[in-house]
Amino acid sequence: MRTVFLGPPGAGKGTQAVRLGRERGLPHVSTGDILRSAAASATTLGEQVRGYMEAGDLVPDEVMNAVVEERLRQSDCMDGFLLDGFPRTRPQAEALDRMLADRDRTLDVVVYVDVPQEELVRRLSGRRLCVECGANLNVADLAESAVERCPKCGARLVQRTDDEPETVSNRLEVYEQTTAPLVEYYEQRGLLRRIDGLGTPEDVYRNILAALTPTDE
Ligand code: AMP
């Protein structure tokens, strides 16, 4: 199953893609994760992308296309993958089509996780990550006394620098302008499955399973 997870930042694409990947034995390819780990190290890619990420801007298409092409060439992606965070622009979507066509492949399904803007702001600005166990939490769900420490392991909670308020509003604007038009791009090709992204992660996962048909597999 060659799948794209599409949706605004904060929609929960990552959480859902990780789970579906685990259950289907498919690699979760998150461009945000690839770039964050490059940015944290002294690689050329890291140097190239750090500024864009900190501002909540998109990394240029040529850089992204090369990153994804290299990743999809790895052997674990041969039988399918769950792409999360790519494509984000029309040229990226066309580049993905070409990468797959070069191998006589096509995309099977696009899972579009739809969440209203007010909820995205709430989720992104309240998101905290545990430095030890990687837990992903929202301050709105924690008691006031617990917002500094992970309730699972007690380690420190941090905020992604691109979840700070000005960057959040820029990321949402960039999404609306540049990425949202891909909904129509994939809808016209009959690949889009629109998923209600409100509710618990469990509810959303159920919606995704219900929307996938045997021909998507
Ligand atoms: P994410 O974790 O998917 O929200 O990505 C974090 C940041 O990485 C984004 O705000 C962009 O700066 C960059 N990024 C990730 N994927 C892409 C992409 N496909 N195109 C351009 N920039 C990207």
Side-chain angles (χ1 to χ4, degrees):
M1 186 166 70
R2 286 173 293 276
T3 309
V4 162
F5 272 74
L6 185 65
K13 303 182 297 291
T15 306
Q16 300 298 331
V18 164
R19 179 157 176 197
L20 190 64
R22 208 167 38 224
E23 294 195 4
R24 302 282 161 109
L26 291 171
H28 167 226
V29 178
S30 156
T31 48
D33 287 350
I34 295 173
L35 298 185
R36 271 184 291 281
S37 90
S41 60
T43 58
T44 318
L45 178 63
E47 305 278 298
Q48 272 177 308
V49 303
R50 208 170 288 133
Y52 295 104
M53 294 180 78
E54 279 168 7
D57 288 331
L58 293 183
V59 171
D61 290 334
E62 314 79 69
V63 176
M64 291 314 304
N65 294 345
V67 164
V68 170
E69 177 138 40
E70 186 191 328
R71 180 64 188 89
L72 295 188
R73 236 190 270 123
Q74 290 170 15
S75 59
D76 61 331
C77 292
M78 289 304 147
D79 294 330
F81 49 78
L82 303 167
L83 256 178
D84 164 15
F86 184 97
R88 264 175 152 101
T89 67
R90 175 75 182 244
Q92 290 181 13
E94 290 168 354
L96 177 62
D97 290 340
R98 281 195 303 273
M99 287 173 216
L100 294 173
D102 285 347
R103 284 180 244 143
D104 294 323
R105 299 278 189 270
T106 53
L107 208 55
D108 295 310
V109 64
V110 175
V111 173
Y112 167 47
V113 186
D114 190 12
V115 174
Q117 173 118 355
E118 318 77 74
E119 172 65 7
L120 297 171
V121 172
R122 187 193 76 84
R123 289 187 189 177
L124 291 169
S125 48
R127 176 159 65 181
R128 298 291 183 276
L129 303 173
C130 172
V131 292
E132 281 298 325
C133 74
N136 185 333
L137 306 149
N138 198 293
V139 289
D141 305 325
L142 299 172
E144 198 151 322
S145 57
V147 293
E148 307 271 303
R149 295 272 149 200
C150 176
K152 296 186 180 156
C153 73
R156 204 159 47 85
L157 294 176
V158 293
Q159 182 172 39
R160 261 170 61 169
T161 49
D162 63 352
D163 282 345
E164 285 164 13
E166 313 80 78
T167 318
V168 164
S169 64
N170 187 40
R171 287 164 70 203
L172 292 174
E173 200 173 309
V174 167
Y175 173 80
E176 277 310 317
Q177 302 265 328
T178 316
T179 310
L182 295 181
V183 171
E184 198 186 330
Y185 177 79
Y186 288 123
E187 197 154 42
Q188 279 173 355
R189 291 169 50 190
L191 293 176
L192 199 82
R193 304 283 188 284
R194 196 180 287 265
I195 306 295
D196 178 1
L198 285 177
T200 64
E202 196 56 46
D203 296 332
V204 179
Y205 191 66
R206 254 196 309 275
N207 295 343
I208 291 174
L209 292 186
L212 293 176
T213 62
T215 53
D216 297 329
E217 309 288 316

